[in-house]
Amino acid sequence: MADGQAAGGAPNTDNADFPKTFDAAAEEARIARIWDEQNCFRAGANAKKGADSFCIVIPPPNVTGSLHMGHALNNTLQDILTRWRRMQGFDTLWQPGQDHAGIATQMVVERKLAEAGEPGRRELGRKAFLEKVWAWKEESGDTIINQLKRLGASCDWSRNRFTMDPGFHDAVLRVFVGLYKDGLIYRDKRLVNWDPHFETAISDLEVEPVTVQPGSNQGKLWRFRYPLADGLTYRHPVAHDDEGDATDWEERDYLVVATTRPETVLGDTGVAVHPDDERYKDLVGKHAILPIVGRRIPIVADEYADPEKGTGAVKMTPAHDFNDFEVGKRQGLRMINVMTPKAAITLFEDAEFWTDTPFASGPIKAKKSKKDDAAAALRKHCEANRDLLDLWSLDGLDRFEARKRVLAMMEARGLYDGADDNPHEVPHGDRSKVVIEPYLTDQWFVDAATLAKPAIEAVRNGETKFAPQNWEKTYFQWLEHIEPWCVSRQLWWGHQIPVWYGPDGEPFCEATEKEAKAAAKAHYGKSVKLRRDEDVLDTWFSSGLWPMGTLGWPKQTRELTTYYQTDVLITGFDIIFFWVARMMMMGMHFMKDEAGRDVPPFHTVYINSIVTDEEGKKMSKSVGNVLDPLDIVDGCDLETLVAKRRAGVFDAKKADAIEAATRKQFPKGLEPFGADALRFALAALESQGQRALKLSMARVEGSRNFGTKLWNAARFANLNGCAPDPKFKPEAATRTVNKWIVGETARVAAACDEALESYRFNDYAARLYAHTWGVYCDWYLEFAKPLLQGDDPVAQAETRATAAWALEQILKLMHPVSPFITESLWEATAGPAGRKKRLVHADWPSLDAATLADPEADAELGWIVRLIEAVRSVRAEMNVPPSAEAVLVLTAAEPAATARLERNWALVKRLARLASWETAESAPKGSITVALEGAVANLPLADVIDVSAEQARLEKAMAKTRKEADGLTAKLGNEAFLAKAPEEVVEEQRERLAAAEAELEKLSGALMRLAEMA
RNA sequence: GGGCGCGUAGCUCAGUGGGAGAGCACUACGUUGACAUCGUAGGGGUCGCUGGUUCAAUCCCAGCCGCGCCCACCA
């Protein structure tokens, strides 16, 4: 055995010591410590000899992050499966770790430096800054691990991995080099999404569209007139008839173009019109003059221009717009970058800016590296040239300032042609929240389309399955239209790209500098000085290697052989593209089986819900509706909760509103519910149909109450001498109630397995709840009381053993979802025999429902339950005082019915509060009557009976039954039904009709007797 | 524009081609030694609307209405 679990590790507990309540705070801490100290979660702990492996890799949380409700859900589900498989004896590993989270972490550290008034990233320089980040990682990196431990996550913490661990770093570099040498990674100069705040490229996925409303400088479509060059004019239609044919024209010496980003005018290098657009046919091949800049730009014909949209003429800014970039390439338009990395306007970054402008000649052509010279020359030039002064004033302006200035300048020149409100979505950086610019730079790209093919195929042919399955469509849709993946980032925190450049810029991509030097030497024929690429890799590049990298790849470790392919990945839908797809691509490319076939990293991807507040709103700091999982576990007083939520927003007015809402929703703050209750509630609410899991405190409270119920049931059993009996064999139970609970237990165990095998966490929780509370507590323990407290020692002994056994099965079945309270009870109910193993390593129930269920016991107990419920119902409706003990008179009783009652009289007497029972030919006068199978139950309650109330009750019951009978009669009278419905269905309907008719007869008899009384 | 999902009890949601369910909330009664974080009984739903398929539709199909999410685009 891989762990140090010793027999008798759990203390035996005397009855008198059984605590009255479960002290979650103390017990959770104590039990977590024991699990930890005894290495209960080690890879392979509790594995049976030769067992199959079961492995889950955790979605690595950000190293600087802290636990949120999404983590709580995600990890609860992983833990349920892991604990379940571990108890089943699988060779189990839940692999934990954290992600370095490039941008996010760098952002946090930069912000902390700023808050502390320390020098910023640039001032510190790369080395010193990275030291700060590592220091922060060391300081805060364990936070989330400790939080996960509080929830009971049974990861093998000794194997915790970090995406920047040396071994993992090595895997990342090898993958990069491998892909490079396969031609699947390349460097290219093209437009990328540029984040001007972080001054780095980001991937398409890191861009989020934000709708902007019309304002002074956004949310509008502005129109400008671009004068035609060389005195050209053309006839432009200005009026149309109903058919859309032009009826009136005007002579124009300009084109009208429109834009949502006026500042990009400066980078325009053409105007595009559709080749079939009659209006502009004669202008193609001619030129326009770009306002403000005075650049002479060609008018080109390109299908991209849509004659239906706007004026049909589109300004082309190939260096600052993705569509224009493509058109520009097709049409041979120049690409002029007019922005700095901070997205300020620059006229000197790109010497081409001045080409074909009136300012092209003379001193302005000065090299951009000598900007001061150029500025001096420009100033001199400006004295004679007002247009140039205007233009120069734009240099260095922030893009949004420049936008205003350009608008004003257009107006001043009489080239402003109006604007329309145009609320539209503008790309923003998902971290920086600033507007993203398409920006022309050199970056590294992964040929994602090629890698995607096997990743698509693996899901297409079922090697990897999604649950719920419909997420496969989402996965396909993205992968089938995938664009090259920009993986270089102009950041410092991350895996630096393993590329070195020679003096002439020749790249050498190798896993180490030594190898790169050797390659360079071979290339140049001599040793040369190399310069390493400054950029780091996209965080998701390394996350994509998580399953293989954490298990030791590229080394062929025991773990890699044992646990790869991992089993199920549990994650949120928001990272299907970011992460799941990338792991599939990388895994399929690098991992092979003995036969050389690609092996996907997991056979199942389970997509869990997204946790929202009770209104279905995503939990977010800025909305102020966040609930911290640990506040639910430990409780949180109102003032602390309010303060936490206020801290998430900057706007004081908004903070006030959040405070008011919080005070209203949680007037007493949060009660401590314990980790088990939170886990149980999350599991119970996690269903495959719903995308949002609306977390309700009522549900957590209910789950806590469920734990309390279980605790009290165990305490009752314990106080009544129920202790595990090693000699007890469930199949050998003799008493009907014991046979019955054995069968029920086997059924619920099978249901739990079935639910977990199909990832139906809500079914699992619901079945446990219904069985534990509704069957074991409500009925079995009540049935057991007369036997436990009776004077038949044989029955008592069997019942004690059965009660203990059934409880033990509940503890095992419930352990995966609520591990602390069940482990605690496992100790407390150990009895004199003690426990061989802790519950975490106990043998999962393996019960054969087919042999353990006893149909006769089920039928008998079912009948007894219905009788008790019927009597109770009548008593309540007739307002019989609880203390009054009635007499039960059976009429029309079949021998089987009287035998059943005879055998179980002790139970019925107690639970239905009856004094005695007898049979009779006819019902006593003034009886209340209930129809049963094989008998009619009569309660002579003449003194308390309200004739009209009883009449109403019977009539209501009859109406209900008659309605059912009528429906069934109609159905059975339908020839088509008899001919086409399956025989079992027809038979079932016949039986139901017979039962309904028998009941009707009994009820109408009762009604008649009542009428005689009145 | 493309895709996905949801509309079932007052609320939050399960569910199934053949008898409408759970939790919470609600009503009445209850201190019967495991449990008031409880017990017993009860009220409450034309399963969004309209058609179709079927012997049979809350469930399958189509359309519509309402709500939400994702992707793309927006000169």
Side-chain angles (χ1 to χ4, degrees), chain A residues 276-344:
Chain A
D276 300 336
D277 195 333
E278 291 296 327
R279 293 170 293 183
Y280 304 116
K281 212 159 187 143
D282 296 338
L283 299 180
V284 173
K286 307 288 195 301
H287 290 79
I289 300 297
L290 184 63
I292 302 173
V293 182
R295 183 181 300 134
R296 191 178 158 87
I297 56 176
I299 297 164
V300 298
D302 193 283
E303 307 242 324
Y304 168 70
D306 182 351
E308 303 295 316
K309 273 190 187 168
T311 60
V314 197
K315 67 190 268 304
M316 286 290 122
T317 323
H320 292 281
D321 181 283
F322 287 102
N323 290 310
D324 296 3
F325 180 78
E326 295 302 324
V327 177
K329 276 204 295 195
R330 280 199 293 274
Q331 301 293 338
L333 301 177
R334 291 194 288 129
M335 306 201 178
I336 299 176
N337 181 8
V338 297
M339 285 192 198
T340 66
K342 285 191 161 65

Coordinates of all heavy atoms in Angstrom, one line a residue, chain A residues 276-344:
Chain A
D276 N -17.9 46.3 -59.6 CA -19.1 46.4 -60.4 C -19.9 47.6 -60.1 O -21.0 47.8 -60.5 CB -20.0 45.1 -60.1 CG -19.3 43.9 -60.5 OD1 -18.4 43.9 -61.4 OD2 -19.6 42.8 -60.0
D277 N -19.4 48.4 -59.2 CA -20.1 49.6 -58.8 C -20.1 50.7 -59.9 O -19.0 51.3 -60.1 CB -19.5 50.1 -57.5 CG -20.5 51.1 -56.8 OD1 -21.3 51.8 -57.5 OD2 -20.4 51.2 -55.5
E278 N -21.2 50.9 -60.6 CA -21.3 51.8 -61.7 C -20.9 53.2 -61.3 O -20.3 53.9 -62.1 CB -22.7 51.8 -62.3 CG -23.1 50.5 -63.0 CD -22.2 50.2 -64.2 OE1 -21.8 51.2 -64.9 OE2 -21.9 49.0 -64.5
R279 N -21.2 53.6 -60.1 CA -21.0 54.9 -59.7 C -19.5 55.4 -59.8 O -19.2 56.5 -60.1 CB -21.4 55.1 -58.2 CG -22.9 55.0 -58.0 CD -23.3 55.0 -56.5 NE -22.7 53.8 -55.9 CZ -23.0 53.5 -54.6 NH1 -23.6 54.3 -53.8 NH2 -22.5 52.4 -54.1
Y280 N -18.7 54.4 -59.5 CA -17.3 54.8 -59.3 C -16.4 54.2 -60.5 O -15.2 54.2 -60.4 CB -16.7 54.3 -58.0 CG -17.5 54.8 -56.8 CD1 -18.2 54.0 -56.0 CD2 -17.6 56.2 -56.6 CE1 -19.0 54.5 -54.9 CE2 -18.3 56.7 -55.5 CZ -19.0 55.9 -54.7 OH -19.7 56.4 -53.6
K281 N -17.1 53.6 -61.4 CA -16.3 52.8 -62.5 C -15.2 53.6 -63.1 O -14.1 53.1 -63.3 CB -17.3 52.4 -63.6 CG -16.9 51.1 -64.2 CD -18.0 50.4 -64.9 CE -17.5 49.0 -65.3 NZ -18.4 47.9 -65.2
D282 N -15.5 54.9 -63.4 CA -14.5 55.7 -64.0 C -13.4 56.2 -63.1 O -12.4 56.8 -63.6 CB -15.2 56.9 -64.7 CG -16.2 56.5 -65.7 OD1 -16.0 55.4 -66.3 OD2 -17.1 57.2 -66.0
L283 N -13.6 56.0 -61.8 CA -12.6 56.5 -60.9 C -11.5 55.5 -60.6 O -10.4 55.8 -60.1 CB -13.2 56.9 -59.6 CG -14.3 58.0 -59.7 CD1 -14.9 58.4 -58.3 CD2 -13.6 59.3 -60.3
V284 N -11.8 54.2 -60.9 CA -10.8 53.2 -60.6 C -9.5 53.4 -61.3 O -9.5 53.7 -62.5 CB -11.3 51.8 -60.9 CG1 -10.3 50.7 -60.7 CG2 -12.5 51.5 -60.0
G285 N -8.4 53.4 -60.6 CA -7.1 53.6 -61.2 C -6.7 55.1 -61.1 O -5.5 55.4 -61.3
K286 N -7.6 55.9 -60.7 CA -7.3 57.3 -60.5 C -6.9 57.5 -59.0 O -6.8 56.6 -58.3 CB -8.5 58.2 -60.8 CG -9.1 58.0 -62.2 CD -8.2 58.5 -63.3 CE -8.8 58.6 -64.7 NZ -9.3 57.4 -65.2
H287 N -6.7 58.8 -58.6 CA -6.3 59.0 -57.3 C -7.1 60.1 -56.5 O -7.8 60.9 -57.1 CB -4.8 59.5 -57.3 CG -3.9 58.5 -57.7 ND1 -3.7 58.1 -59.0 CD2 -3.0 57.7 -57.0 CE1 -2.8 57.1 -59.1 NE2 -2.4 56.8 -57.9
A288 N -7.1 59.9 -55.2 CA -7.7 61.0 -54.4 C -6.5 61.6 -53.5 O -5.4 61.0 -53.5 CB -8.7 60.3 -53.5
I289 N -6.9 62.7 -52.9 CA -5.9 63.4 -52.1 C -6.4 63.2 -50.6 O -7.5 63.6 -50.3 CB -5.8 64.9 -52.4 CG1 -5.3 65.0 -53.8 CG2 -4.8 65.5 -51.4 CD1 -3.9 64.5 -54.1
L290 N -5.5 62.5 -49.8 CA -5.9 62.3 -48.4 C -5.9 63.7 -47.7 O -4.8 64.3 -47.6 CB -4.9 61.4 -47.8 CG -5.2 61.0 -46.4 CD1 -6.5 60.2 -46.2 CD2 -4.1 60.1 -45.8
P291 N -7.0 64.1 -47.1 CA -7.0 65.3 -46.4 C -6.0 65.3 -45.2 O -5.6 64.3 -44.8 CB -8.5 65.4 -45.8 CG -9.3 64.4 -46.7 CD -8.3 63.4 -47.1
I292 N -5.7 66.5 -44.8 CA -4.7 66.7 -43.7 C -3.3 66.4 -44.1 O -2.4 67.2 -44.0 CB -5.1 66.0 -42.4 CG1 -6.6 66.4 -42.0 CG2 -4.2 66.3 -41.3 CD1 -7.1 65.7 -40.8
V293 N -3.2 65.1 -44.6 CA -1.8 64.6 -44.9 C -1.4 65.1 -46.3 O -0.2 65.4 -46.6 CB -1.7 63.1 -44.8 CG1 -0.3 62.6 -45.1 CG2 -2.2 62.6 -43.4
G294 N -2.4 65.2 -47.2 CA -2.1 65.6 -48.5 C -1.5 64.4 -49.4 O -1.1 64.6 -50.5
R295 N -1.6 63.2 -48.8 CA -1.1 62.0 -49.5 C -1.9 61.7 -50.8 O -3.1 61.8 -50.7 CB -1.0 60.9 -48.6 CG -0.3 59.6 -49.2 CD -0.3 58.5 -48.2 NE 0.4 58.8 -47.0 CZ 0.0 58.6 -45.7 NH1 -1.1 58.0 -45.5 NH2 0.8 59.0 -44.7
R296 N -1.2 61.4 -51.8 CA -1.9 61.0 -53.1 C -2.1 59.5 -53.0 O -1.2 58.7 -52.8 CB -1.0 61.3 -54.2 CG -1.6 61.2 -55.6 CD -0.5 61.6 -56.6 NE -0.8 61.0 -57.9 CZ -1.6 61.6 -58.8 NH1 -2.1 62.8 -58.5 NH2 -1.9 61.1 -59.9
I297 N -3.4 59.1 -52.9 CA -3.7 57.7 -52.7 C -4.6 57.1 -53.9 O -5.5 57.8 -54.4 CB -4.4 57.4 -51.4 CG1 -5.7 58.3 -51.3 CG2 -3.5 57.8 -50.2 CD1 -6.5 58.1 -50.0
P298 N -4.3 55.9 -54.3 CA -5.0 55.3 -55.4 C -6.4 54.9 -55.1 O -6.7 54.5 -53.9 CB -4.2 54.1 -55.8 CG -3.5 53.7 -54.5 CD -3.2 55.0 -53.7
I299 N -7.3 54.9 -56.1 CA -8.6 54.4 -55.9 C -8.6 53.0 -56.6 O -8.3 52.9 -57.8 CB -9.7 55.3 -56.6 CG1 -9.7 56.7 -55.9 CG2 -11.1 54.7 -56.6 CD1 -10.4 57.8 -56.7
V300 N -8.9 52.0 -55.8 CA -8.7 50.6 -56.3 C -10.1 49.9 -56.4 O -11.0 50.3 -55.6 CB -7.7 49.8 -55.5 CG1 -6.4 50.4 -55.6 CG2 -8.2 49.6 -54.1
A301 N -10.2 48.9 -57.2 CA -11.4 48.1 -57.3 C -11.2 46.8 -56.5 O -10.2 46.1 -56.8 CB -11.8 47.8 -58.7
D302 N -12.0 46.6 -55.5 CA -11.9 45.4 -54.7 C -13.2 44.9 -54.3 O -14.1 45.7 -53.8 CB -11.0 45.6 -53.5 CG -10.5 44.3 -52.9 OD1 -11.3 43.7 -52.2 OD2 -9.4 43.9 -53.1
E303 N -13.4 43.6 -54.3 CA -14.7 43.0 -54.0 C -15.1 43.3 -52.5 O -16.3 43.1 -52.1 CB -14.7 41.5 -54.2 CG -14.2 41.1 -55.6 CD -15.3 40.4 -56.4 OE1 -16.0 39.6 -55.7 OE2 -15.4 40.6 -57.6
Y304 N -14.1 43.6 -51.7 CA -14.4 43.8 -50.3 C -15.4 45.0 -50.1 O -16.2 45.0 -49.2 CB -13.1 44.1 -49.5 CG -13.3 44.6 -48.2 CD1 -13.8 43.8 -47.2 CD2 -13.0 46.0 -47.8 CE1 -14.1 44.3 -45.9 CE2 -13.3 46.4 -46.6 CZ -13.8 45.6 -45.6 OH -14.0 46.1 -44.4
A305 N -15.2 46.0 -51.0 CA -16.1 47.2 -50.8 C -17.5 46.7 -51.2 O -17.8 46.2 -52.2 CB -15.6 48.3 -51.8
D306 N -18.4 47.0 -50.3 CA -19.8 46.6 -50.4 C -20.6 47.8 -50.9 O -20.8 48.8 -50.2 CB -20.4 46.1 -49.1 CG -21.8 45.6 -49.2 OD1 -22.4 45.8 -50.3 OD2 -22.3 45.0 -48.2
P307 N -21.2 47.8 -52.2 CA -21.9 48.9 -52.7 C -23.1 49.3 -51.8 O -23.5 50.4 -51.9 CB -22.3 48.5 -54.1 CG -21.4 47.3 -54.4 CD -21.1 46.7 -53.1
E308 N -23.6 48.3 -51.1 CA -24.8 48.6 -50.3 C -24.5 49.3 -49.0 O -25.4 49.9 -48.4 CB -25.5 47.2 -49.9 CG -25.8 46.4 -51.1 CD -26.9 47.0 -52.0 OE1 -27.9 47.5 -51.4 OE2 -26.7 47.0 -53.2
K309 N -23.3 49.2 -48.6 CA -22.9 49.8 -47.3 C -22.4 51.2 -47.5 O -21.5 51.5 -48.3 CB -21.9 49.0 -46.6 CG -22.4 47.8 -45.8 CD -21.3 47.3 -45.0 CE -21.7 46.0 -44.2 NZ -20.6 45.3 -43.7
G310 N -22.9 52.1 -46.7 CA -22.4 53.5 -46.7 C -22.4 54.1 -48.1 O -23.4 53.9 -48.8
T311 N -21.3 54.7 -48.5 CA -21.3 55.3 -49.8 C -20.7 54.3 -50.9 O -20.7 54.6 -52.0 CB -20.4 56.5 -49.8 OG1 -19.1 56.1 -49.5 CG2 -20.9 57.6 -48.9
G312 N -20.3 53.1 -50.4 CA -19.7 52.2 -51.3 C -18.3 52.4 -51.5 O -17.6 51.6 -52.1
A313 N -17.7 53.5 -51.0 CA -16.3 53.8 -51.1 C -15.7 53.7 -49.7 O -16.2 54.2 -48.8 CB -16.1 55.2 -51.7
V314 N -14.6 52.9 -49.6 CA -14.1 52.6 -48.3 C -12.6 53.1 -48.2 O -11.8 52.8 -49.1 CB -14.0 51.1 -48.0 CG1 -13.8 50.8 -46.6 CG2 -15.2 50.4 -48.5
K315 N -12.3 53.8 -47.2 CA -11.0 54.3 -47.0 C -10.1 53.1 -46.6 O -10.6 52.2 -45.8 CB -10.9 55.4 -45.9 CG -11.2 54.9 -44.5 CD -11.4 56.1 -43.6 CE -10.1 56.4 -42.8 NZ -9.5 55.3 -42.1
M316 N -8.9 53.0 -47.0 CA -8.1 51.8 -46.7 C -6.9 52.2 -45.8 O -6.1 53.1 -46.2 CB -7.5 51.3 -48.1 CG -8.5 50.5 -48.9 SD -8.9 49.0 -48.1 CE -10.7 49.2 -47.9
T317 N -6.8 51.6 -44.7 CA -5.8 51.8 -43.7 C -5.1 50.5 -43.4 O -5.3 49.9 -42.3 CB -6.3 52.4 -42.4 OG1 -7.4 53.3 -42.7 CG2 -5.2 53.2 -41.6
P318 N -4.3 50.0 -44.3 CA -3.8 48.6 -44.2 C -3.0 48.3 -42.9 O -3.0 47.2 -42.5 CB -3.0 48.4 -45.4 CG -3.4 49.4 -46.4 CD -3.8 50.6 -45.5
A319 N -2.4 49.3 -42.4 CA -1.6 49.0 -41.2 C -2.4 49.1 -39.9 O -1.8 48.9 -38.8 CB -0.4 50.0 -41.1
H320 N -3.7 49.4 -40.0 CA -4.4 49.6 -38.8 C -5.8 49.0 -38.8 O -6.7 49.4 -38.1 CB -4.5 51.1 -38.4 CG -3.2 51.6 -38.0 ND1 -2.6 51.4 -36.7 CD2 -2.2 52.3 -38.7 CE1 -1.5 52.0 -36.7 NE2 -1.2 52.6 -37.8
D321 N -6.0 48.1 -39.8 CA -7.4 47.5 -39.8 C -7.2 46.1 -40.5 O -6.5 46.0 -41.5 CB -8.3 48.4 -40.7 CG -9.7 47.8 -40.8 OD1 -9.9 46.8 -41.6 OD2 -10.6 48.3 -40.0
F322 N -7.8 45.1 -39.9 CA -7.6 43.7 -40.4 C -8.1 43.5 -41.8 O -7.5 42.9 -42.6 CB -8.3 42.7 -39.4 CG -7.5 42.6 -38.1 CD1 -8.0 43.2 -37.0 CD2 -6.4 41.9 -38.1 CE1 -7.3 43.1 -35.8 CE2 -5.7 41.7 -36.9 CZ -6.1 42.4 -35.7
N323 N -9.3 44.1 -42.1 CA -9.8 43.9 -43.5 C -9.0 44.7 -44.5 O -8.7 44.2 -45.5 CB -11.3 44.4 -43.5 CG -12.2 43.5 -42.8 OD1 -12.1 42.3 -43.0 ND2 -13.0 44.0 -41.9
D324 N -8.6 45.9 -44.1 CA -7.8 46.7 -45.0 C -6.5 46.1 -45.2 O -5.9 46.3 -46.3 CB -7.7 48.2 -44.4 CG -9.0 48.9 -44.3 OD1 -10.0 48.3 -44.6 OD2 -9.0 50.0 -43.8
F325 N -6.0 45.4 -44.2 CA -4.7 44.8 -44.4 C -4.7 43.7 -45.5 O -3.9 43.7 -46.4 CB -4.3 44.1 -43.1 CG -3.0 43.3 -43.1 CD1 -1.8 44.0 -43.0 CD2 -3.0 41.9 -43.2 CE1 -0.6 43.3 -43.0 CE2 -1.8 41.3 -43.2 CZ -0.6 42.0 -43.1
E326 N -5.8 43.0 -45.5 CA -6.0 42.0 -46.6 C -6.1 42.6 -48.0 O -5.5 42.2 -48.9 CB -7.2 41.1 -46.3 CG -7.1 40.2 -45.0 CD -5.8 39.3 -45.1 OE1 -5.5 38.8 -46.2 OE2 -5.2 39.1 -44.0
V327 N -7.0 43.7 -48.0 CA -7.2 44.4 -49.3 C -5.9 45.0 -49.7 O -5.5 44.9 -50.9 CB -8.3 45.5 -49.1 CG1 -8.4 46.2 -50.4 CG2 -9.6 44.8 -48.7
G328 N -5.2 45.6 -48.7 CA -3.9 46.2 -49.1 C -2.9 45.2 -49.7 O -2.2 45.6 -50.6
K329 N -2.9 44.0 -49.1 CA -2.0 43.0 -49.7 C -2.4 42.7 -51.1 O -1.5 42.6 -52.0 CB -2.0 41.7 -48.8 CG -1.1 41.8 -47.6 CD -0.7 40.4 -47.1 CE -1.8 39.6 -46.6 NZ -1.5 38.5 -45.8
R330 N -3.7 42.5 -51.3 CA -4.2 42.2 -52.7 C -3.9 43.3 -53.7 O -3.5 43.0 -54.8 CB -5.7 41.9 -52.6 CG -6.1 40.6 -52.1 CD -7.5 40.3 -52.6 NE -8.5 41.2 -52.0 CZ -9.1 40.9 -50.8 NH1 -8.8 39.9 -50.1 NH2 -10.0 41.7 -50.3
Q331 N -4.1 44.5 -53.2 CA -4.0 45.6 -54.1 C -2.7 46.3 -54.2 O -2.5 47.3 -54.9 CB -5.1 46.7 -53.8 CG -6.5 46.1 -53.8 CD -7.0 45.7 -55.2 OE1 -6.5 46.2 -56.2 NE2 -8.0 44.8 -55.2
G332 N -1.7 45.8 -53.4 CA -0.4 46.4 -53.4 C -0.4 47.8 -52.7 O 0.4 48.7 -53.1
L333 N -1.3 48.0 -51.8 CA -1.3 49.3 -51.1 C -0.1 49.4 -50.1 O 0.2 48.4 -49.5 CB -2.6 49.6 -50.4 CG -3.8 49.5 -51.3 CD1 -5.1 49.7 -50.5 CD2 -3.7 50.7 -52.4
R334 N 0.3 50.6 -49.8 CA 1.4 50.7 -48.9 C 0.8 50.6 -47.4 O -0.4 50.8 -47.2 CB 2.1 52.1 -49.0 CG 2.9 52.1 -50.3 CD 3.8 53.3 -50.3 NE 3.1 54.5 -50.5 CZ 3.2 55.6 -49.7 NH1 4.1 55.5 -48.7 NH2 2.6 56.7 -49.9
M335 N 1.6 50.1 -46.5 CA 1.2 50.0 -45.2 C 2.0 51.0 -44.3 O 3.2 50.9 -44.2 CB 1.5 48.6 -44.7 CG 0.8 47.6 -45.6 SD 0.5 46.0 -44.9 CE -0.2 45.2 -46.3
I336 N 1.3 51.9 -43.8 CA 2.0 53.0 -43.0 C 1.5 52.9 -41.5 O 0.3 53.1 -41.2 CB 1.7 54.3 -43.6 CG1 2.2 54.3 -45.1 CG2 2.3 55.4 -42.8 CD1 1.9 55.6 -45.8
N337 N 2.4 52.7 -40.7 CA 2.1 52.6 -39.3 C 2.2 54.1 -38.7 O 3.2 54.8 -38.8 CB 3.2 51.8 -38.6 CG 2.9 51.7 -37.1 OD1 1.9 52.1 -36.6 ND2 3.8 51.1 -36.4
V338 N 1.1 54.5 -38.1 CA 1.0 55.9 -37.6 C 0.9 55.9 -36.1 O 0.5 56.9 -35.5 CB -0.1 56.7 -38.2 CG1 0.1 56.8 -39.7 CG2 -1.5 56.1 -37.9
M339 N 1.2 54.8 -35.4 CA 1.0 54.8 -34.0 C 2.3 54.2 -33.3 O 2.9 53.3 -33.8 CB -0.2 53.9 -33.5 CG -1.5 54.7 -33.8 SD -2.8 53.8 -33.0 CE -4.2 54.5 -33.9
T340 N 2.5 54.7 -32.1 CA 3.5 54.2 -31.2 C 2.9 52.9 -30.5 O 1.7 52.7 -30.5 CB 4.0 55.2 -30.2 OG1 2.8 55.4 -29.3 CG2 4.3 56.5 -30.8
P341 N 3.8 52.2 -29.8 CA 3.3 51.0 -29.1 C 2.2 51.5 -28.0 O 1.4 50.7 -27.5 CB 4.5 50.4 -28.4 CG 5.6 50.8 -29.4 CD 5.3 52.2 -29.9
K342 N 2.3 52.7 -27.6 CA 1.3 53.2 -26.6 C 0.1 53.8 -27.3 O -0.8 54.3 -26.6 CB 2.0 54.3 -25.7 CG 2.9 53.8 -24.7 CD 3.3 54.9 -23.7 CE 3.9 54.4 -22.4 NZ 5.2 53.8 -22.6
A343 N 0.0 53.6 -28.6 CA -1.1 54.1 -29.4 C -1.3 55.6 -29.4 O -2.4 56.1 -29.4 CB -2.4 53.4 -28.9
A344 N -0.1 56.3 -29.4 CA -0.1 57.7 -29.6 C 0.2 57.9 -31.1 O 0.9 57.0 -31.7 CB 0.9 58.4 -28.8

